[in-house]
Every structure is written in C-alpha cells, then in structure tokens.
Amino acid sequence: MLTIAIAKGRMQHDALELLGRAGVRVSEEALRSRRLAVEDEEGRYRFIFVKPQDVPVYVEHGIADCGVVGRDVLLETGADVLQPLDLRIGCCRLAVAARKGLKVEEAGMLHVATKYPRVAAAHFGSRGVPVEIIGLSGSVELAPVLGLADCIVDLVETGRTLAENELEVVETITESTARLVVNRASYQLKSAAVASLVAAVSGAVNKGREES
Ligand code: PRP
C-alpha cells in the first residue's frame, strides 16, 4: 500500500478529483468523515490529510510515500523529495504586493510580512534590497493595511483578496502549481507501485489538458 499525503485546503478538492480520474478514489463516506487517514476503495492507497507545509515533511521522512503539494510550499521548505509530475492544478503565483500607489523601491528598508520567509528573503536578497521579514501564518494581507509591513510576499490566485483589501501586485516572483512528490527511498523500494501511480496520474493530467 502507498501512503499519499494531500495538502488540506485550497487544492484538496481538485487533487482528489484528479486522483479520482486516475482511478485512485476515496469513498464519499470517508471524505465526509473527520478522519485524517483514509484508504481508497481498493485498499491500494492510504491518504493522509495534512497542512500544506507539512506534506513535504511527511514525504521527506518516508511516513508518506507520495504527496500532493504546491510548488510554493516546496520552494519555501526546500524539502529533499522527488518531483516527477506537475499536476497543472492549483495554479497561482507568489508575488510581492503593497498598498496601491506605494513606491516600494523608494521605501528604504522594507518590512515584508509573509508566510514564505525563505522565498521572500531570497527574492529581496538577490536584488540587494535590505528587508526585515515579519513571519505570519495567515491573513497576510492585513499587515500592510494596518501598518505592520510595507509589503507582503504571498500567494495570488484570483487576486480577489488583494483587490478587496486595496492592495496590488508589485511584482510576480514565480508561478506555482500542484506537484506530485515522491519520497526518495519509496521511489526505489516501491518502484512498481510508484511508477503505476505516476503513470495513471500523468495520464489523467494529459487527458485534462486535451479536453481543456
Ligand atoms: C491564500 C493566500 C491569499 C489568498 C489568495 O490564503 O495567502 O490570502 O489565498 O487568494 P485569491 O487571490 O484567490 O484571493 P488562504 O486562503 O490559504 O488563507 P490564509 O490567509 O489563512 O493563509
């Protein structure tokens, strides 16, 4: 049996829908329950539902053989996991955003609020911009509105959260989509099961692309 860690939240529904199209299905009853570990209908896979930033932790440590998580999280955690497949769901971007009209380049030492301290530090560091990173764990858009920070580094999907808080994108750092990740040892030791999962999911991703 393969254990697959799924990031709870924004991409969970699309990830399960994609896996379902690849023939890897969790029953409706299991999904309705509050159980955090459930098996697929054939007993070939066990799913664990964890916070996005914990997916690479479970996979890197081999507790989960595979995982579904955003590239944004992989960049931030720097986890040592294999990434055989771009799932082309959960499309969004990591961006710098600030209050409308703020000239970020004229702000001197920038105070940057973010859930992505490593990505933010690397981004501004590569440009030689001095920053103080303020780590937050959610509702990051509040920080510039309330004066905690000059700008934020955060995910932008539809752009609605920024717009409704009178913020705007200053710069896109990188694009992100969901990735299938695999533990290095599982890739070797459970090669047949992993290869079969990767092939099935890859087929579902490509079929989805042809249809869209
Ligand atoms: C994410 C992200 C933004 C928002 C962007 O937060 O951090 O706040 O979604 O989405 P949008 O561009 O479609 O508006 P999430 O919903 O994960 O909640 P959080 O603020 O608690 O991290």
Side-chain angles (χ1 to χ4, degrees):
M1 183 185 275
L2 286 182
T3 297
I4 306 175
I6 306 278
K8 288 200 291 187
R10 63 173 48 241
M11 69 173 63
Q12 178 177 331
H13 176 270
D14 287 355
L16 289 174
E17 200 258 339
L18 177 66
L19 289 170
R21 283 193 277 119
V24 181
R25 284 188 193 85
V26 190
S27 72
E28 285 300 320
E29 187 243 320
L31 284 179
R32 273 196 305 273
S33 76
R34 299 293 291 263
R35 292 193 344 253
L36 296 172
V38 298
E39 290 180 13
D40 79 320
E41 288 166 355
E42 278 92 44
R44 288 181 302 159
Y45 301 103
R46 178 171 65 146
F47 296 92
I48 59 172
F49 297 98
V50 297
K51 291 246 182 202
Q53 61 271 32
D54 294 339
V55 169
V57 179
Y58 279 95
V59 175
E60 187 172 358
H61 286 81
I63 307 303
D65 302 294
C66 305
V68 175
V69 66
R71 178 170 176 262
D72 57 310
V73 175
L74 295 168
L75 288 173
E76 179 61 26
T77 59
D80 183 20
V81 294
L82 300 172
Q83 299 181 41
L85 208 53
D86 181 345
L87 302 180
R88 299 178 185 273
I89 56 173
C91 304
C92 55
R93 54 188 167 141
L94 271 172
V96 181
R99 284 197 315 279
K100 287 185 179 152
L102 180 84
K103 298 259 184 297
V104 169
E105 63 280 8
E106 293 170 10
M109 159 77 93
L110 275 182
H111 294 83
V112 183
T114 187
K115 291 185 283 191
Y116 300 88
R118 279 174 62 150
V119 170
H123 173 72
F124 288 106
S126 72
R127 282 151 193 242
V129 177
V131 290
E132 182 190 325
I133 305 288
I134 301 169
L136 291 176
S137 50
S139 303
V140 176
E141 291 85 355
L142 267 180
V145 174
L146 299 182
L148 177 66
D150 302 303
C151 61
I152 61 174
V153 167
D154 201 16
L155 274 193
V156 181
E157 189 175 359
T158 62
R160 201 172 150 197
T161 312
L162 289 183
E164 294 192 6
N165 290 286
E166 292 170 28
L167 304 174
E168 63 185 3
V169 169
V170 175
E171 185 181 10
T172 294
I173 298 176
T174 190
E175 309 286 333
S176 178
T177 48
R179 305 296 157 108
L180 180 71
V181 295
V182 181
N183 170 266
R184 287 188 178 278
S186 301
Y187 198 77
Q188 305 285 341
L189 300 173
K190 300 183 181 179
S191 58
V194 169
S196 148
L197 175 69
V198 172
V201 177
S202 174
V205 171
N206 290 332
K207 194 146 182 286
R209 282 172 78 187
E210 282 161 20
E211 285 166 7
S212 65

